[in-house]
Amino acid sequence: MKQIAFFVFLSFWFHCIDAFVTGDRLIRNLSSLGVSVEATDLIDHEVEPVPIRIGHGFDIHRMAPVDEAGQPVVIGGVTVTHKDQKWTDAEGKYVEKGGIYETQLGVVAHSDGDVIYHSIVDGIFGALTLPDIGQVFQDTDPRWKGCDSSKFMEYAFEVMTNYGYKIGNIDVTLILERPKVASFKPAMKENIVKLLQTTPGRVNIKARTHERMDSVGELRSLSCHVVLTLERA
């Protein structure tokens, strides 16, 4: 009985050491990414080790003439180059109110406004029953102004790995009227695969228009839905 108790104690001790080292490594990795120690509170949540978890992420951002937005359209880590688009000027800033203004487009956002990356990060956090991306990377924090959203993806990967999970699969639905993104989708997929250290057969990207309806159809916004699963690593 004493031997059994000793081995149980030893097992528990090694588990504690492993948890401490893993948590410490995560904090150091996140610090190297420019993520504050406060944000590492995500490592302290109680996440039950169920075999499969399902997450859903959503994001939406305004689009505007690139000079107004101050940055280009970046989706899935790819700068979407395009010819001038027929943007609806709902407020009458450039042409008659409700008129069409042909312009290069940009995304209005605190960070780079990458709707795919933001949705994936939110989906991972949701699958792990953690706070949403807006709570972790607040849009009032000057550190994230113009931030490359791949940093958020790297952070989500570290958190996911810390809890003992890996990507099961990711299904992305990107919704925007213009610019067209079909030729950019392979590069977007490649970026996701690399950042989350998964395989191409686990990542899918679909894109659709909004049939010229509402702000998306008028090129004044773009949005994204992501459904994903996480598996025990």
Side-chain angles (χ1 to χ4, degrees):
M1 290 295 293
K2 289 183 179 180
Q3 284 183 324
I4 294 174
F6 173 75
F7 282 117
V8 169
F9 171 77
L10 197 61
S11 175
F12 173 75
W13 178 249
F14 278 121
H15 175 76
C16 290
I17 292 175
D18 180 66
F20 173 79
V21 171
T22 301
D24 181 65
R25 182 171 62 247
L26 177 60
I27 290 174
R28 284 187 279 107
N29 288 347
L30 296 180
S31 296
S32 71
L33 297 175
V35 178
S36 67
V37 175
E38 289 83 357
T40 62
D41 288 344
L42 292 190
I43 68 174
D44 296 327
H45 285 250
E46 184 177 345
V47 177
E48 295 184 14
V50 297
I52 297 176
R53 288 180 168 273
I54 301 173
H56 172 260
F58 172 76
D59 194 32
I60 185 169
H61 283 291
R62 289 196 302 116
M63 289 200 297
V66 68
D67 289 342
E68 178 182 335
Q71 57 188 5
V73 177
V74 177
I75 307 173
V78 178
T79 299
V80 179
T81 54
H82 57 276
K83 63 182 181 180
D84 287 357
Q85 300 293 318
K86 295 180 178 180
W87 177 78
T88 300
D89 187 355
E91 298 178 1
K93 288 184 177 180
Y94 305 95
V95 295
E96 182 181 358
K97 187 174 182 178
I100 299 300
Y101 181 59
E102 295 199 17
T103 179
Q104 288 284 301
L105 295 172
V107 175
V108 180
H110 186 64
S111 64
D112 63 5
D114 193 321
V115 292
I116 286 184
Y117 281 1
H118 294 180
S119 297
I120 291 175
V121 171
D122 213 29
I124 291 173
F125 289 170
L128 293 170
T129 66
L130 301 176
D132 62 65
I133 187 174
Q135 293 176 264
V136 180
F137 299 104
Q138 298 180 13
D139 61 10
T140 55
D141 191 329
R143 289 173 299 174
W144 313 130
K145 180 66 176 176
C147 181
D148 180 344
S149 293
S150 65
K151 299 299 183 185
F152 304 159
M153 290 278 280
E154 290 170 355
Y155 173 62
F157 174 78
E158 291 284 352
V159 171
M160 174 182 69
T161 303
N162 179 70
Y163 281 113
Y165 286 90
K166 64 180 182 179
I167 293 297
N169 75 298
I170 299 174
D171 188 26
V172 175
T173 302
L174 176 66
I175 308 170
L176 78 167
E177 198 71 28
R178 293 288 190 279
K180 293 293 187 180
V181 296
S183 63
F184 298 98
K185 285 164 62 178
M188 295 175 187
K189 179 173 178 174
E190 183 178 349
N191 288 340
I192 295 168
V193 169
K194 182 178 179 181
L195 285 167
L196 299 180
Q197 298 186 27
T198 187
T199 57
R202 292 174 180 257
V203 178
N204 184 48
I205 300 177
K206 311 184 302 294
R208 57 158 298 163
T209 70
H210 224 228
E211 300 295 337
R212 292 286 178 181
M213 296 186 292
D214 64 39
S215 63
V216 174
E218 294 177 345
L219 282 64
R220 295 189 293 112
S221 66
L222 75 166
S223 63
C224 181
H225 287 271
V226 165
V227 177
L228 56 81
T229 60
L230 304 183
E231 301 173 347
R232 291 295 290 174

